[in-house]
């Protein structure tokens, strides 16, 4: 019971607190917070907003899982942004240039995307393992390189083609498409949203039931204890980073295989960074991340309604920032409180005043 | 008693006839689940060196943190020269003339001596020439002879300690708390430190000297207060009591005996280390130099040495956590197959049958926020009963954790609590229980009873003895000489990365062992030098000190 409280209380408090903060920001800027929040909630029922939220949730969810794998061992893969972009271009080019039977074509594209993401992540991983280069710095720089590389690859004299004002990769034939669930005028749910759910389950199983997950968590909790327990730090960094990159490579698959069938100039940016926030919000737990991704998608899509009531939609960005900040603080406060409470409980149950190691 | 510095203090500390420099009465400090200090009484006269003695975990450091304002007591009062004071922060303690030199130096290597001293106390004498003048005035007191403009990274350990003392003097301290000041020093440096302290004592400074090394306490202190399990047991005159009496005050009435009765040593080799060498990462100084070692089935080989002479590195190199620069580590398993472990990683070595009790259970032995059963898996993530192939066997891990809890008397409400919630002794019992699981052929135990209560200590000793009788080979590293002499069948003395002498635990005394450990040469037949032992030790003195 205490555990559930420890996991659910912090985000609830944080969301409440940040809503309050945004309310104040709205009042200061001369708008009515209740009107604004009301508009956001009613927007969910309008047009395709609900389906957009679900689709967006799937994308954020995959990105956050990629980040969370690194977080489990205190590895900050800031490079999800670049990894999914490189993977998207490579997979789109590959998908548009081969002819394969349906199904196999789709699987091949997904596999190529995962491999491309992993390959892009392998560079900072190898740099860290062999030369001790900080992965935060190297992945951020790889993000810049990824932008440039993607722009180069879709030039019409390389792999791309010019369509009107847009440059894009050749369209993937229908054999590579993933059909969605059409809800008529409400929009179409991407078929690969279920891929996100499957990845979440696989992630949970891996973290909690496999040796690799145990070693990953042990490395994150105490690198010295993991080393004494026979966990090779270098191997873990390499594997975790490659796995993180592979999952990052899948981030754009729902959109590319479900709707766009090509990589073009309108490709969405910033999902990797949102993934970091969502992973923090969900505390690296697959359930928590799902909730975080849903919240993020809701704020993104419903925020569009704010323009209608004369409120600047940038207020959503403030809210997202406030949520992440307060969640991180709230988790830490609750964690310390829970640990102290457990020590008190153990002390009481044993009825001793024995000094706990390290207290003195 | 140089009255010049005390003039600008709010409270003058310096009159030996007046009220005591510091009086702590009825201090109680509770942490979640534990009472770190309970009803502590301590009275320190002006101008004396007052030792505070107690085992690791007895509550010495907590008490000093309270006196230095780093923590607030739940109950009790602090008086400084007869006036009641309340410290909210160390700054309050510094204001009335109390300073603290921490065990782990708090110096910035890339700043000069002067910058380190002035840092945070810029308001006193600025940061320029006036500060420099003041530092030079005070440097004589501490025996520091280097220019204040020298970078701290160029200083040796003893000089760094002097800079720390200089820091507290600069801030006007007259009562100086020294937290285990000798732990990092070699014996000659300890003598120099003691000479410095005596000189400062004559000039009216008062010292609170925290230590658990009884011979040092008896050498320097004018009076000694013993603290046990968070409470003061009494104050004694160190000249009038024996070390044994002090030790018994520290641990309680009966000292548990680590003594093993009959030898169970066989002639079957389990561990053979040949020519093992390790070069420190930052330089070419050998941390381990040509180590040869054999441990047989049923034998406990003890490694004695002053901390920092390569014991940690030896253990971690045998465990594969550090890569040896040369030499071999060979393990013979129960069925007689010899395996060269030199190229293997830590996990493979563990799987080959090595159990490992690390020297620091918090940093290396446990995942503190994880439940006990998850800690059972650590180091055994590839083996039964905690794993099946790539999958964890959580039910098996839980069942075996319960077995350890029952067999090793781990006091816990259940196996689902976080390891951090247990007391140090119970955490260590869990670690020992885990490392004796899976039928190891060799146990490497680094300070297996450090900082645990007497009950846990006795249990851990019993378990090691029992496993030894069943044929386990044990490599024991310990700073507790009684433990080493009591448990070991053979003792080897380690000095500056070499095994320099053998000692016979049946005849050797802690004093003999102590002088062999410091390289002073053997005074007893029970300690026999290996090869050119004492000579090489002398050679090493200059170079190693310069590099530290």
């Amino acid at each position: 019971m205490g555990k559930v409280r420890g996991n659910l209380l912090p985000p609830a408090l944080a969301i409440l607190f940040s809503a309050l903060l945004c309310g104040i920001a709205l009042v200061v800027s001369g708008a009515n917070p209740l009107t604004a929040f009301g508009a956001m909630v009613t927007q969910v029922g309008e047009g395709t907003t609900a389906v957009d939220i679900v689709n967006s949730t799937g994308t954020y969810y995959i990105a956050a899982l990629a980040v969370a794998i690194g977080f489990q061992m205190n590895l900050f893969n800031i490079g999800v942004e670049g990894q999914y972009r490189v993977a998207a271009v490579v997979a789109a080019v590959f998908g548009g240039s081969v002819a394969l039977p349906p199904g196999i074509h789709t699987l091949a594209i997904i596999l190529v995307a995962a491999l491309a993401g992993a390959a892009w992540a392998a560079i900072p991983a190898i740099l860290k393992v062999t030369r001790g280069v900080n992965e935060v710095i190297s992945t951020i720089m790889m993000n810049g390189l990824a932008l440039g590389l993607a722009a180069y690859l879709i030039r019409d004299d390389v792999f791309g083609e010019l369509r009107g004002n847009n440059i894009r990769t050749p369209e993937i034939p229908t054999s590579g498409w993933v059909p969605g669930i059409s809800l008529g005028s409400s929009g179409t749910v991407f078929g690969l949203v279920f891929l996100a759910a499957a990845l979440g389950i696989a992630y949970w199983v891996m973290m909690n039931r496999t040796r690799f997950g145990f070693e990953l968590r042990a490395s994150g909790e105490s690198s010295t204890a993991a080393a004494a327990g026979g966990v090779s730090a270098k191997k873990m960094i390499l594997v975790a980073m490659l796995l993180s990159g592979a999952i990052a490579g899948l981030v754009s698959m729902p959109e590319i295989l479900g709707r766009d069938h090509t990589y073009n100039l309108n490709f969405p940016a910033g999902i990797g960074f949102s993934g970091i926030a969502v992973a923090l919000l969900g505390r690296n737990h697959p359930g928590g991340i799902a909730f975080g991704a849903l919240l993020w998608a809701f704020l993104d899509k419903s925020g569009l309604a704010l323009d209608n009531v004369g409120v600047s939609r940038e207020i959503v960005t403030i809210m997202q920032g406030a949520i992440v900040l307060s969640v991180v603080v709230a988790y830490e406060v609750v964690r310390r409180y829970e640990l102290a409470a457990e020590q008190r409980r153990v002390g009481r149950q044993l009825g001793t005043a024995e000094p706990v190691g390290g207290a003195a | 008693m140089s009255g010049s510095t005390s003039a600008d203090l709010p409270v003058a500390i310096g009159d030996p006839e007046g009220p005591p420099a510091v009086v702590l009465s009825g201090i109680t400090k509770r942490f979640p689940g534990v009472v770190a200090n309970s009803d502590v009484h301590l009275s320190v006269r002006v101008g004396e060196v007052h030792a505070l003695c107690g085992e690791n975990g007895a509550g010495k450091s907590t008490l000093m943190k309270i006196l230095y304002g780093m923590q607030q007591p739940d109950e009790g009062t602090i008086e400084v020269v007869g006036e009641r004071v309340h410290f909210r922060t160390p700054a309050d303690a510094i204001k009335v003339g109390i300073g603290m030199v921490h065990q782990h130096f708090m110096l910035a290597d890339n700043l000069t001596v002067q910058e380190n001293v002035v840092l945070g106390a810029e308001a006193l004498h600025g940061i320029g020439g006036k500060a420099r003048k003041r530092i030079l005035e005070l440097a004589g007191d501490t025996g520091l002879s280097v220019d204040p403009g020298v970078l701290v990274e160029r200083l040796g350990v003893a000089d760094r300690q002097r800079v720390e003392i200089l820091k507290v003097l600069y801030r006007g301290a007259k009562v100086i708390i020294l937290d285990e000041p000798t732990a990092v020093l070699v014996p000659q440096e300890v003598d120099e430190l003691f000479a410095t302290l005596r000189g400062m004592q004559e000039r009216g400074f008062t010292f609170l000297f925290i230590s658990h090394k009884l011979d040092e306490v008896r050498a320097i202190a004018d009076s000694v207060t013993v603290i046990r399990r968070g409470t003061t047991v009494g104050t004694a005159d160190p000249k009038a009591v024996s070390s044994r009496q002090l030790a018994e005050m520290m641990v309680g009435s009966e000292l548990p005996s680590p003594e093993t009765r009959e030898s169970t040593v066989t002639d079957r080799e389990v561990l053979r280390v040949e020519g093992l060498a390790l070069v420190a990462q930052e330089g070419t100084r050998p941390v381990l130099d040509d180590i040869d070692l054999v441990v047989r089935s049923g034998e406990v080989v003890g490694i004695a040495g002053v901390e920092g002479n390569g014991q940690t590195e030896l253990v971690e190199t045998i465990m594969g956590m550090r890569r040896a620069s040369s030499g071999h580590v060979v393990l013979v398993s129960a069925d007689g197959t010899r395996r060269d472990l030199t190229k293997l990683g830590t996990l493979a070595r563990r799987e080959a049958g090595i159990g490992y009790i690390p020297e620091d259970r918090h940093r290396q032995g446990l995942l503190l926020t994880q439940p006990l059963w998850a800690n059972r898996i650590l180091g055994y993530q590839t083996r039964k009963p905690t794993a099946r192939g790539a999958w964890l066997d959580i039910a098996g891990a839980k069942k075996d954790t319960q077995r350890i809890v029952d067999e090793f008397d781990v006091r816990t409400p259940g196996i689902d609590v976080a390891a951090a919630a247990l007391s140090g002794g119970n955490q260590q019992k869990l670690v020992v229980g885990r490392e004796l699981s899976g039928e190891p052929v060799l146990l490497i135990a680094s300070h297996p009873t450090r900082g645990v209560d007497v009950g846990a200590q006795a249990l851990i000793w019993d378990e090691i003895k029992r496993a030894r009788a069943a044929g386990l080979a044990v490599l024991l590293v310990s700073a507790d000489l009684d433990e080493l002499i009591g448990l070991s069948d053979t003792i080897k003395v380690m000095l500056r990365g070499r095994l320099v002498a053998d000692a016979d635990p049946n005849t050797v005394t802690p004093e003999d062992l102590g002088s062999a450990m410091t390289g002073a040469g053997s005074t007893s037949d029970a300690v026999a030098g290996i090869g050119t032992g004492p000579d090489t030790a002398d050679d090493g003195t200059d170079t190693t000190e310069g590099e530290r």
Side-chain angles (χ1 to χ4, degrees), chain B residues 62-116:
Chain B
T62 306
L63 187 62
M64 288 306 107
K65 282 179 185 163
I66 289 171
L67 177 56
Y68 190 49
M70 291 164 78
Q71 271 162 357
Q72 279 71 47
D74 298 328
E75 290 163 29
T77 57
I78 304 173
E79 282 173 45
V80 176
V81 204
E83 275 188 41
R84 229 176 122 168
V85 289
H86 290 282
F87 298 146
R88 256 175 267 283
T89 64
D92 296 340
I94 292 168
K95 242 182 249 163
V96 299
I98 295 175
M100 181 156 174
V101 174
H102 296 271
Q103 183 179 358
H104 304 287
F105 300 150
M106 305 197 169
L107 297 171
D109 281 358
N110 52 348
L111 298 183
T112 64
V113 170
Q114 177 172 346
E115 286 163 344
N116 266 288

Side-chain angles (χ1 to χ4, degrees), chain B residues 450-508:
Chain B
R450 175 182 273 181
V452 308
D453 57 279
V454 178
Q457 186 177 42
L459 184 136
I460 291 168
W461 283 341
D462 282 346
E463 291 295 340
I464 291 178
K465 283 184 232 171
R466 221 174 48 175
R468 159 185 172 273
L472 184 73
V474 180
L475 183 65
L476 173 70
V477 175
S478 180
D480 178 344
L481 297 185
D482 290 323
E483 174 176 85
L484 266 182
I485 294 172
L487 280 181
S488 303
D489 297 297
T490 314
I491 294 179
K492 294 187 181 292
V493 181
M494 194 158 192
L495 183 65
R496 297 192 190 94
R498 287 165 167 264
L499 295 179
V500 293
D502 279 333
D504 178 357
N506 291 322
T507 50
V508 76

Side-chain angles (χ1 to χ4, degrees), chain B residues 311-328:
Chain B
Q311 302 95 313
T312 303
E313 289 80 4
L314 174 64
V315 165
E316 294 188 356
T317 310
I318 295 177
M319 280 313 295
M321 295 156 68
R322 293 168 188 260
R323 278 269 165 251
S325 348
S326 62
H328 288 276

Side-chain angles (χ1 to χ4, degrees), chain B residues 220-357:
Chain B
I220 185 73
D222 301 308
S223 46
V224 51
T225 295
V226 175
I227 186 166
R228 182 175 79 227
R229 292 213 164 191
T231 190
T232 36
V233 185
T235 301
D237 178 355
K239 273 111 198 150
V241 295
S242 69
S243 286
R244 174 130 193 122
Q245 282 171 309
L246 269 182
E248 284 184 352
M249 281 174 84
M250 271 165 64
V251 299
S253 51
E254 87 285 26
L255 276 173
S257 158
E259 228 141 284
T260 39
R261 293 282 167 265
E262 69 283 348
S263 171
T264 56
V265 183
T266 63
D267 55 3
R268 194 171 72 76
E269 281 183 12
V270 173
L271 175 73
R272 173 172 275 278
V273 174
E274 280 169 355
L276 197 67
L278 178 73
V279 175
Q281 279 171 343
E282 58 270 24
T284 50
R285 180 169 60 92
V287 183
L288 295 178
D289 192 359
D290 197 21
I291 303 271
D292 292 315
L293 188 68
V294 171
V295 188
R296 295 176 181 83
S297 171
E299 182 185 36
V300 178
V301 173
I303 304 285
V306 178
E307 230 156 291
N309 275 283
Q311 302 95 313
T312 303
E313 289 80 4
L314 174 64
V315 165
E316 294 188 356
T317 310
I318 295 177
M319 280 313 295
M321 295 156 68
R322 293 168 188 260
R323 278 269 165 251
S325 348
S326 62
H328 288 276
V329 177
V330 175
L331 189 76
V332 185
S333 59
D335 56 12
T337 41
R338 296 171 66 88
R339 282 186 72 184
D340 190 341
L341 302 182
T342 317
K343 296 262 184 289
L344 298 182
T346 306
L347 188 64
R349 296 186 194 210
R350 278 176 161 279
E351 287 167 347
I354 305 183
Y356 173 40
I357 303 171

Side-chain angles (χ1 to χ4, degrees), chain A residues 43-133:
Chain A
Q43 174 70 20
V44 175
E46 304 284 325
T48 61
T49 307
V51 167
D52 287 347
I53 289 176
V54 171
N55 287 340
S56 200
T57 300
T59 307
Y60 285 142
Y61 190 65
I62 300 174
L65 282 182
V67 175
I69 286 178
F71 275 171
Q72 289 280 4
M73 65 167 300
N74 297 332
L75 200 62
F76 289 80
N77 182 7
I78 312 291
V80 170
E81 181 73 18
Q83 287 144 20
Y84 88 82
R85 183 175 293 273
V86 167
V89 181
V90 173
V93 169
F94 168 81
S97 53
V98 297
L100 287 168
I104 293 175
H105 197 172
T106 309
L107 281 178
I109 293 172
I110 292 176
L111 195 68
V112 165
L115 287 177
W120 199 247
I123 299 169
I126 290 167
L127 282 176
K128 184 173 174 81
V129 170
T130 58
R131 309 299 309 163
V133 177

Side-chain angles (χ1 to χ4, degrees), chain A residues 129-317:
Chain A
V129 170
T130 58
R131 309 299 309 163
V133 177
N134 188 310
E135 78 281 2
V136 174
I137 311 286
S138 56
T139 50
I140 287 176
M141 303 207 319
M142 293 299 287
N143 285 345
L145 290 179
L147 264 178
L149 181 69
Y152 171 76
L153 287 179
I154 61 168
R155 276 168 53 157
D156 53 1
D157 54 350
V158 187
F159 291 115
E161 55 190 36
L162 202 59
R163 282 291 164 94
N165 285 335
N166 207 346
I167 303 176
R168 57 171 221 191
T169 58
E171 187 164 71
I172 299 169
T174 47
S175 57
W177 297 8
V178 175
I181 301 164
S182 176
L183 298 176
S185 63
S186 305
T188 303
V189 176
F190 295 149
L192 284 181
V193 164
F194 295 100
L195 173 71
L199 283 174
I201 294 168
Y203 170 84
W204 186 88
V205 170
M206 182 191 81
M207 290 313 300
N208 292 290
R209 288 289 179 267
T210 68
R211 176 188 151 195
F212 173 75
F214 177 81
E215 292 185 332
L216 201 63
R217 277 186 294 143
S219 308
E221 158 131 20
S222 162
S223 56
T224 44
V231 180
S232 159
K234 289 186 171 178
K235 192 187 114 193
M236 293 315 290
I237 290 171
L238 203 63
V239 178
M241 201 72 187
L242 290 182
L243 207 54
S244 177
I247 294 180
L250 303 179
V251 164
S252 59
M253 284 302 104
E255 271 181 47
I256 289 187
L257 298 185
R259 186 186 64 204
D260 296 350
H261 312 309
T262 168
Y263 175 94
N264 58 44
L265 285 184
N266 299 328
F267 189 74
I271 296 173
F273 297 122
S274 301
I276 296 172
V278 171
L280 280 173
L281 191 61
R283 216 184 181 189
N284 304 333
H285 186 278
I289 295 173
F291 170 76
L294 186 65
L295 180 69
W296 229 247
F298 161 75
L299 290 173
D300 261 9
K301 302 298 176 194
S302 297
L304 299 173
L306 289 177
D307 289 335
N308 302 338
V309 292
V311 176
S312 159
R313 52 184 287 206
E314 271 65 40
I315 199 76
V316 164
T317 318

